[in-house]
Amino acid sequence: NIFILMQPIMPGWKFDKPSGIFQEDKTSPGRVYGTGYAMKQLTFPGEAYCLQANKGPEGKKFLTTSVLDYMTNELKVEWMLSNRLNDIQRLNPDYAVDIDTFARTVKAQQEH
C-alpha cells in the first residue's frame, strides 16, 4: 500500500516589532511545512489516498480515517517508515527513491 498526502503551501512568517508577535508574511515565497508536518498529517482523518497493490485504478481509496488508524486497524501494521520524496530528492538527486533504504525496509518487513 502507498499513501499519498498533500501538503499545503504556506507563506513564511515575520516578526512584527511594534506588536511583539509573529505574523504571516503573504509576500514571502510559499513553501510546504516539511517532514514533521507530514508525520503529523498521518494522524488527521481524511488527509490521504491509499493506492492498494495489484488493484489498478480500483485500488485508489480515499481514507476517511487517519492513515495511522487505517494502518493499525485495517492492515495490522506494527511499524512504518516515512520519507518525504522532496527530502530524498534533495539528498540524492539521481534517485527519487533511495533503493538501498527501500531494500532494507522490504527485508525488515519480511523478517517481521
Side-chain angles (χ1 to χ4, degrees):
N1 294 292
I2 297 174
F3 299 94
I4 299 174
L5 295 98
M6 300 302 292
Q7 283 192 340
I9 295 175
M10 303 296 288
W13 296 79
K14 65 181 177 184
F15 184 71
D16 182 63
K17 288 183 183 179
S19 66
I21 61 172
F22 282 94
Q23 296 178 341
E24 196 174 279
D25 181 3
K26 296 188 185 302
T27 64
S28 69
R31 300 278 191 260
V32 295
Y33 281 132
T35 307
Y37 187 78
M39 292 297 289
K40 185 177 176 179
Q41 275 184 289
L42 297 177
T43 67
F44 299 161
E47 284 282 317
Y49 286 92
C50 176
L51 302 179
Q52 299 167 315
N54 304 319
K55 293 192 179 181
E58 295 79 31
K60 182 179 176 184
K61 176 180 180 179
F62 178 73
L63 298 182
T64 57
T65 64
S66 73
V67 172
L68 289 180
D69 284 342
Y70 181 80
M71 291 171 68
T72 301
N73 300 326
E74 301 295 324
L75 303 176
K76 308 301 182 203
V77 169
E78 296 178 11
W79 61 271
M80 62 179 253
L81 171 71
S82 176
N83 287 308
R84 286 183 70 234
L85 190 57
N86 194 25
D87 291 342
I88 294 170
Q89 186 69 24
R90 287 181 184 165
L91 293 173
N92 192 346
D94 295 331
Y95 301 99
V97 175
D98 182 343
I99 299 300
D100 292 333
T101 300
F102 182 71
R104 284 192 293 273
T105 301
V106 170
K107 182 179 181 199
Q109 178 191 24
Q110 291 170 347
E111 291 175 354
H112 288 278

